[in-house]
């Protein structure tokens, strides 16, 4: 029997009757509300098949008020783990037995492992961002001067925490609501207090969301990250005035639908290198797989599944 596109909480409570006919059995899932759009099954199922792990991955529509009980069902129903997406990434934390350092610092969990009946949480978006940048530009975060636009949102915060853990040359946090970037900078300051040589500009800074303030940063930045939701809709205003982009910049746009955002087009017109967020989606999935199975993920099988589901021809 093929898996349903989406299961719900009632199905989870009666998993043997709702999904007991599946071959291989479904012991991994993504929790979300909504969840029907999730690309995680086409990302993970080819990897599970390639690795011969004898399990499959499905979507579970879990509403916020069902989250605690749904998590409690996981050990009872024989699950290996789940991913959590909107709106559960922060709400899941109080229900876990243990979380990794990156999950604690970001305050969000997108990967849960069931281990001896307890639940362990991890955030694979943050290290997924690191590997995506490495793959796109052949550089490591620690060697870069980085500007994160949208540092106050969930994805921006994950990227900022990962950058801080890598102790990069510079980190500049910008967010429309400045308070959020300032609060995050205060949390991350301890990572920038080592004896690394000081340059002409501060290693950790907060920049207000305006062209003048951002213009002043641009000569001192290598990697610009879009972690805002701007760029998903054609009607969105430009994230940055194109004149601010320079040929030495690398632009990582976390948006992946559409695959070629206005920011990417503007960056390439300026002679800069640019990549969209599909590789971050891929690598967060690979890191979730590693967390569940304690082995390398078959990344190329995942990449094929993801690109096919996203309707994107591979370069
Ligand atoms: P979120 O928590 O809702 O944060 C949204 C961010 O966008 C906030 O920083 C917000 O600023 C900013 N923003 C929204 N509208 C804006 C505008 N008109 N002008 C300036 N800033 C604006 O969302 P999220 O979960 O972090 O997701 C953010 C983006 O990352 C989305 O495009 C999402 O698809 C993408 N993402 C990609 C991946 C991947 O794997 N590639 C993973 C996660 C997320 P305020 O704080 O001022 O509201």
């Amino acid at each position: 029997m093929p898996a349903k596109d989406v299961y719900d909480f009632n199905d989870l409570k009666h998993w043997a009757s709702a999904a007991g006919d599946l071959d291989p059995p479904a012991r991994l899932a993504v929790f979300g509300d909504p969840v029907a759009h999730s690309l995680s099954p086409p990302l993970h199922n080819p990897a599970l098949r390639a690795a011969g792990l004898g399990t499959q991955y499905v979507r579970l529509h879990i509403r916020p008020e069902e989250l605690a009980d749904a998590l409690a069902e996981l050990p009872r129903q024989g699950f290996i783990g789940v991913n959590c997406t909107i709106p559960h990434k922060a709400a899941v934390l109080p229900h876990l037995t243990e979380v990794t350092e990156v999950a604690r610092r970001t305050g969000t969990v997108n990967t849960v492992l069931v281990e001896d009946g307890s639940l362990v949480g991890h955030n694979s978006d943050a290290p997924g961002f690191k590997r995506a940048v490495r793959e796109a530009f052949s550089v490591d975060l620690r060697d870069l001067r980085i500007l994160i636009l949208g540092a106050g949102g969930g994805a921006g915060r994950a990227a900022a925490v990962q950058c801080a853990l890598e102790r990069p040359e510079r980190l500049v946090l910008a967010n429309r609501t400045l308070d959020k970037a300032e609060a995050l900078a205060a949390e991350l300051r301890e990572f920038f207090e080592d004896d690394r040589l000081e340059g002409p500009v501060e290693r950790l800074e907060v920049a207000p969301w305006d062209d003048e303030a951002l213009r002043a940063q641009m000569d001192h930045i290598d990697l610009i990250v879009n972690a805002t939701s701007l760029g998903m809709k054609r009607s969105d205003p430009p994230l940055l005035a194109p004149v601010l982009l320079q040929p030495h910049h690398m632009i990582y746009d976390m948006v992946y639908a559409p695959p070629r955002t206005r920011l990417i087009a503007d960056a390439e017109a300026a002679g800069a290198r640019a990549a969209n967020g599909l590789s971050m989606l891929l690598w967060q999935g690979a890191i979730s797989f590693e967390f569940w199975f304690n082995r390398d993920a078959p990344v190329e099988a995942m990449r094929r599944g993801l690109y096919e589901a996203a309707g994107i021809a591979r370069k």
Side-chain angles (χ1 to χ4, degrees), residues 86 89 110 125 128-129 149-158 174-178 180-181 209 226-232 236-239 252-257 276-284:
I86 291 168
K89 286 187 183 183
N110 74 336
D125 284 333
F129 164 73
L149 301 164
R157 195 182 158 86
N175 199 58
R176 180 180 57 178
T177 313
L178 193 62
K180 292 193 209 167
W209 190 267
N226 175 27
T228 75
S229 36
L230 286 181
M232 297 172 83
D236 281 344
L239 179 76
Y252 193 82
D253 194 341
M254 287 195 189
V255 174
Y256 52 82
N276 72 25
L278 209 59
S279 51
M280 179 171 160
L281 190 61
L282 169 72
W283 283 105
Q284 65 75 31

Side-chain angles (χ1 to χ4, degrees), residues 292-306:
W292 291 323
F293 297 109
N294 198 23
R295 57 180 279 183
D296 287 347
V299 175
E300 292 315 313
M302 294 182 119
R303 197 189 306 268
R304 278 193 296 279
L306 178 62

